Amino acid sequence: RHEHASPRLSSAGARLWSLRGGATRAAGSGKPKRDEARLSLKFAAYVVAWAVVPTLLRVAYAYVTLPAAVPAPAPSLLQSLGYVSAPAASAPEALPLPQRWQVAVAAAWVANNLAVMVPGRYDSRRAMAAEKACAATANLFTPSGWAFAIWGPIFAGEWLMMLYLTNVPAAGAVGAAVAPGWVAALCAQAAWCAAFRPSVCGPGLLWVPAGLLATTGACLAV
């Protein structure tokens, strides 16, 4: 029984080892990948528009629906003589212009999205394709390509959070409290995008981007 089990176990182990992590069985296998995404002026304008246009629309709507100030009536004779106080004119309502922390939240979101699009990181399509071609260096901790799909919900959540904090009046008190940590986390994430590349941090300095990722988590936990 043991003589028959060993070949089966070794065959199963070899099959598991051949499917380890994100490695492919042979170089060039699988579907052809798209070109590397690059930062362009069109994408930058698109990101800035998503951060600025909702706030501009909110302020414009508030301006259009702003009630006109009611002028004070002409003072009577007794009011002119100082015997009776004259009623004060109603002050016009102030426009809901963005506060400084809201500007910082929107600017940090824009900077983070632009930093992500700069090519050349270790996790770029070009670098990952080169790693898949040499599958002998992969192990059980090498992530598969679909694992990076988690960034879609993350960036969508950051976008919705930015819109909520910068445009919902009910979020004023909460936004002012969480803005410092949230802005610091996005800045640390943008710094990670700048550091996690061979031209900046070689294999001996990968602790720098790892520390920036830890800083991102710590800032979000504040």
Side-chain angles (χ1 to χ4, degrees), residues 130-220:
E131 181 180 350
K132 284 179 178 293
C134 54
T137 62
N139 51 54
L140 290 173
F141 296 99
T142 303
S144 185
W146 56 264
F148 295 94
I150 191 176
W151 285 105
I154 289 176
F155 281 109
E158 290 178 351
W159 170 61
L160 294 176
M161 186 69 170
M162 183 273 299
L163 291 180
Y164 176 73
L165 293 179
T166 56
N167 292 285
V168 178
V174 176
V178 304
W182 202 77
V183 170
L186 289 184
C187 291
Q189 190 167 290
W192 172 84
C193 291
F196 192 60
R197 54 189 69 241
S199 59
V200 178
C201 293
L205 292 176
L206 287 179
W207 58 270
V208 174
L212 291 171
L213 279 183
T215 302
T216 302
C219 292
L220 291 176

Side-chain angles (χ1 to χ4, degrees), residues 71-136:
S76 62
L77 179 60
L78 294 177
Q79 291 172 345
S80 299
L81 295 175
Y83 291 103
V84 179
S85 60
S90 61
E93 295 185 14
L95 286 175
L97 297 176
Q99 301 181 30
R100 284 182 294 179
W101 65 265
Q102 290 176 316
V103 175
V105 165
W109 180 81
V110 170
N112 178 53
N113 279 271
L114 297 183
V116 168
M117 293 302 295
V118 177
R121 296 197 311 270
Y122 281 106
D123 60 340
S124 62
R125 289 194 181 98
R126 187 185 303 275
M128 293 182 66
E131 181 180 350
K132 284 179 178 293
C134 54

